[in-house]
Amino acid sequence: MGKRPAESRLRAGLPAPLWRWIFHFEAAIEAAVEDFAHQLPAGARVLDAGAGEGQYRRFFPKQSYCGIDLAVGDAAWNYSGLEVRGDLAALPFGNASFGAALNIVTLEHVTEPARVVCELARVLAPGGRLLLIAPQEWEEHQQPHDYFRYTRYGLQYLLQRAGFSGIDIRPVGGIFRLVGRRLLNAIQFLPLPLAIVLFLPLAVPGVLLPLLDILDTRRNFTLGYICYAHKES
């Protein structure tokens, strides 16, 4: 998914708590990656599969980080910091090469997701940990390299089929947070005069609706899923 220019400008201009509230999915991703990194031992080899520009590298100063990407997702991105350019469906690493792996909002961009998840399992050492995050209700992005959206059941199937266990899949927000985010998204499509008129009618409920998310206990409508798993020993 990556950071878009408009999002980066908003992040710079908004107070951090407000940015985290509005960009809940992105904030949840960063929090999950940071927590994942803190649980890994120093020196552990970590594969960021689908690293993009390597924006999560900063969370792994004590580990040995390796970012790989096919480098075709966004022509405006700078891929020069990647350790490896390669296909996630045929990872150029030996079996059991890494103690942990990330796959962050990348599985929707690969044409063979089952093969990619199997490759992640192959290069993980026994007991190795995986953090996989995938969008569910999200706009098309990085076109034309945007192929799939996943339910929690689809993700569980892919992970189990690849030999992962201890699978924990967590939805990021419910319907009220989802609708609130989409109301805020809608503002960008309005011509300037109409945007001025409708800004508050769209922005106020967009910001306040997530307060009702506690009412959605099923979370069948969600922005995406954060998945934890490990390779069986």
Side-chain angles (χ1 to χ4, degrees):
M1 191 167 60
K3 289 183 181 176
R4 290 157 287 191
E7 180 193 327
S8 297
R9 289 194 297 270
L10 279 171
R11 184 166 191 173
L14 290 174
L18 183 57
W19 180 87
R20 287 193 296 268
W21 182 258
I22 292 174
F23 292 96
H24 179 67
F25 191 35
E26 293 86 342
I29 290 171
E30 289 195 359
V33 174
E34 184 173 19
D35 181 65
F36 186 73
H38 284 163
Q39 296 181 42
L40 298 178
R45 294 195 71 199
V46 179
L47 177 66
D48 188 350
E53 294 181 290
Q55 69 189 80
Y56 302 115
R57 179 190 303 274
R58 69 186 191 276
F59 293 114
F60 300 93
K62 298 179 180 179
Q63 290 83 24
S64 177
Y65 172 96
C66 177
I68 180 172
D69 199 287
L70 196 56
V72 299
D74 194 316
W77 286 4
N78 178 9
Y79 297 101
S80 62
L82 288 171
E83 280 72 22
V84 181
R85 292 195 184 196
D87 187 353
L88 303 192
L91 291 171
F93 309 108
N95 296 347
S97 296
F98 295 91
L102 311 171
N103 188 255
I104 310 297
V105 289
T106 296
L107 204 62
E108 72 271 26
H109 297 299
V110 300
T111 56
E112 299 179 78
R115 186 172 173 183
V116 168
V117 178
C118 285
E119 278 291 277
L120 291 172
R122 180 184 66 78
V123 301
L124 277 176
R129 301 179 60 188
L130 173 69
L131 172 62
L132 186 150
I133 302 178
Q136 213 288 323
E137 296 278 354
W138 208 260
E139 75 271 18
E140 289 182 0
H141 55 287
Q142 295 187 16
Q143 298 94 331
H145 306 290
D146 190 2
Y147 306 106
F148 300 103
R149 294 295 180 271
Y150 298 94
T151 67
R152 71 189 80 194
Y153 306 103
L155 291 168
Q156 183 167 338
Y157 170 79
L158 290 172
L159 291 166
Q160 287 179 334
R161 185 172 180 268
F164 285 100
S165 60
I167 299 168
D168 180 10
I169 300 176
R170 306 175 188 179
V172 183
I175 189 169
F176 296 100
R177 187 168 286 282
L178 171 61
V179 173
R181 179 67 179 262
R182 293 299 165 247
L183 286 174
L184 294 171
N185 290 145
I187 295 172
Q188 67 184 304
F189 296 100
L190 302 176
L192 185 58
L194 193 56
I196 293 172
V197 172
L198 294 180
F199 179 79
L200 287 178
L202 290 173
V204 171
V207 172
L208 294 181
L209 269 174
L211 293 171
L212 299 177
D213 226 31
I214 192 172
L215 301 175
D216 180 7
T217 57
R218 299 181 66 186
R219 303 293 170 97
N220 289 334
F221 295 88
T222 188
L223 291 164
Y225 295 100
I226 296 175
C227 310
Y228 301 91
H230 62 262
K231 182 176 179 178
E232 294 185 359
S233 301

